[in-house]
Amino acid sequence: MVSDDLEPIPPATAVNLYLDHREPELSEKSLTNQRYRLDSFIEWCQEEGIESMDELTGRDLHEFRVWRQQGNGDRYGSVSKVTLRGILVTLRTFLEFCAGIDAVESGMRERVLIPDLDAEEESKDEKLDVEDAHQILEHLNRYQYASREYVVFAIFWHTGIRLGSLRALDVDDFSHDKQYLQLRHRPESETPLKNGQAAERSIAVGEFYAQVIQEYIDTNRPGSTDDYGREPLIASQYGRLSETPIRQLVYMWTRPCMVGDCPHGEDPNTCEYMKRVTARECPSSKSPHSIRRGSITNHLREGTPEEVVSDRMNVTKDVLDQHYDQRTELEKMEVRREFVEDV
């Protein structure tokens, strides 16, 4: 139903107005990417005979989503869920602009349903590079020493554990003297490990980061307990952190602008991805699983034997080879050389 308060405008015209509006704040590459994503929306509107933006309904937006994912247009092929998500995020931002110029109903953006991604889809061959990891850790060490952010990022990178494993850690699972973390499967108190009791293990922590964790516990960790009376290592004043704020923390700190320049030409003062809730939409932010992938790859490149990586990260050799080991064949050869060149 068309509202009397809306002003008719063709989809192509609305897209051009939106891109003109974004041009001062977007890099040329980002602008080109947004135009490409919205061009498919224009084509779909033409196929469906939608001549004005005020004709759009929630059902239309669902049909566009299916159309774009399946590649039903003349110029567009089918896309992965990851790519579809990027298209729909751009469409949401465009519809928010359209609401501001009375082209669509307020709240129309919320009718664009963004697909959820599981850990494998979310990472999809993405990993945090070692140089980026070191740069983030150096920044946190200098400016936020012994903070919760520093501890979360340091544990993720140096142990390669899963998000659920990090969340499951209690203060008592850490030994400063013996320098290790103990992972325990405790489903009865809502901290299960992905592979159950088979995932229980002790993980060595280097002397430096053992000291960082201890100082975090002594000075910055809130003195809170969870609903079961346990003292979570990664805590807020209300208790154990859920997965969502931990994910948000990682998305925030893997945005390149946190420790250097933005590769997309954005101004951090105006960039739409600087908010906690939009950090994951930054084209360069990484998920916790991407840190795990980068950590595992780095351990392998540094010559750590596969069986050690398998035990430490709780991943089978087959899965390690298929999903995590991103070394080139030449890199694998150089690691093997260290063990055989003097034989």
Side-chain angles (χ1 to χ4, degrees):
M1 181 180 296
V2 178
S3 170
D4 293 337
D5 297 329
L6 301 180
E7 299 181 8
I9 182 174
T13 304
V15 167
N16 286 334
L17 287 177
Y18 166 74
L19 294 174
D20 287 343
H21 168 70
R22 298 298 308 278
E23 185 175 9
E25 59 192 62
L26 292 178
S27 67
E28 183 176 350
K29 181 178 179 181
S30 295
L31 201 65
T32 299
N33 287 340
Q34 295 225 355
R35 176 174 288 283
Y36 176 78
R37 292 169 179 173
L38 292 173
D39 276 349
S40 64
F41 174 72
I42 294 173
E43 180 175 318
W44 175 81
C45 288
Q46 291 171 343
E47 286 191 9
E48 295 299 313
I50 296 175
E51 298 180 352
S52 178
M53 291 295 296
D54 57 4
E55 299 174 20
L56 280 177
T57 65
R59 180 179 296 179
D60 289 330
L61 295 174
H62 170 71
E63 291 178 355
F64 167 72
R65 169 179 165 159
V66 174
W67 178 89
R68 188 64 187 89
Q69 183 172 23
Q70 296 178 353
N72 293 329
D74 293 335
R75 297 192 298 125
Y76 301 96
S78 60
V79 295
S80 68
K81 194 185 294 186
V82 175
T83 300
L84 178 67
R85 187 181 187 282
I87 294 169
L88 296 178
V89 166
T90 297
L91 180 62
R92 264 195 171 193
T93 306
F94 166 63
L95 291 175
E96 184 175 15
F97 167 81
C98 288
I101 61 170
D102 297 324
V104 300
E105 296 177 7
S106 176
M108 182 64 74
R109 72 182 301 276
E110 302 302 329
R111 301 185 188 183
V112 179
L113 302 181
I114 306 298
D116 293 328
L117 306 178
D118 59 35
E120 185 61 31
E121 290 170 326
E122 194 168 36
S123 62
K124 196 65 178 180
D125 295 331
E126 286 188 358
K127 68 179 186 301
L128 183 66
D129 292 333
V130 60
E131 295 83 3
D132 294 332
H134 288 170
Q135 193 174 13
I136 294 169
L137 287 169
E138 288 172 4
H139 182 93
L140 289 169
N141 181 65
R142 175 175 297 181
Y143 298 108
Q144 296 197 38
Y145 181 79
S147 65
R148 184 175 67 194
E149 290 82 356
Y150 191 15
V151 168
V152 166
F153 206 91
I155 292 177
F156 268 143
W157 178 252
H158 287 286
T159 68
I161 62 175
R162 298 179 176 90
L163 172 56
S165 299
L166 175 76
R167 181 180 175 274
L169 289 168
D170 286 350
V171 172
D172 290 343
D173 295 327
F174 168 65
S175 173
H176 180 219
D177 294 337
K178 296 183 179 179
Q179 299 174 9
Y180 73 90
L181 293 164
Q182 181 71 38
L183 286 176
R184 305 177 191 180
H185 177 58
R186 289 170 282 206
E188 71 284 351
S189 51
E190 299 186 44
T191 57
L193 300 181
K194 180 179 179 180
N195 293 326
Q197 291 186 340
E200 294 188 337
R201 61 200 188 277
S202 299
I203 303 178
V205 179
E207 180 179 359
F208 177 81
Y209 284 107
Q211 183 61 32
V212 171
I213 295 172
Q214 187 61 54
E215 293 194 36
Y216 156 74
I217 293 173
D218 293 341
T219 62
N220 292 321
R221 180 195 170 276
S224 59
T225 59
D226 66 9
D227 294 339
Y228 299 90
R230 292 165 52 189
E231 293 184 305
L233 179 62
I234 308 303
S236 72
Q237 59 180 321
Y238 304 108
R240 190 180 306 275
L241 282 190
S242 65
E243 292 190 357
T244 296
I246 298 175
R247 286 184 185 277
Q248 289 176 335
L249 184 155
V250 170
Y251 286 124
M252 288 176 64
W253 278 100
T254 53
R255 293 172 302 188
C257 60
M258 295 296 286
V259 296
D261 295 329
C262 174
H264 310 293
E266 302 283 359
D267 180 353
N269 294 316
T270 58
C271 178
E272 60 187 303
Y273 306 131
M274 288 306 294
K275 298 178 181 178
R276 178 183 293 270
V277 295
T278 58
R280 68 175 295 166
E281 297 171 11
C282 169
S284 295
S285 66
K286 299 290 190 295
S287 68
H289 200 74
S290 295
I291 302 181
R292 174 172 164 83
R293 185 185 296 274
S295 174
I296 291 175
T297 300
N298 186 54
H299 274 78
L300 293 170
R301 282 176 174 160
E302 291 295 315
T304 306
E306 289 189 3
E307 58 269 23
V308 173
V309 175
S310 177
D311 290 344
R312 182 175 174 86
M313 279 68 169
N314 186 233
V315 56
T316 66
K317 188 178 182 302
D318 288 343
V319 173
L320 191 71
D321 292 339
Q322 182 177 359
H323 296 293
Y324 292 100
D325 189 355
Q326 296 192 353
R327 295 175 296 172
T328 65
E329 289 302 317
L330 184 61
E331 288 173 327
K332 293 178 181 179
M333 181 200 72
E334 291 299 335
V335 170
R336 293 194 295 269
R337 186 198 302 275
E338 297 180 13
F339 293 93
V340 301
E341 62 182 0
D342 294 329
V343 174

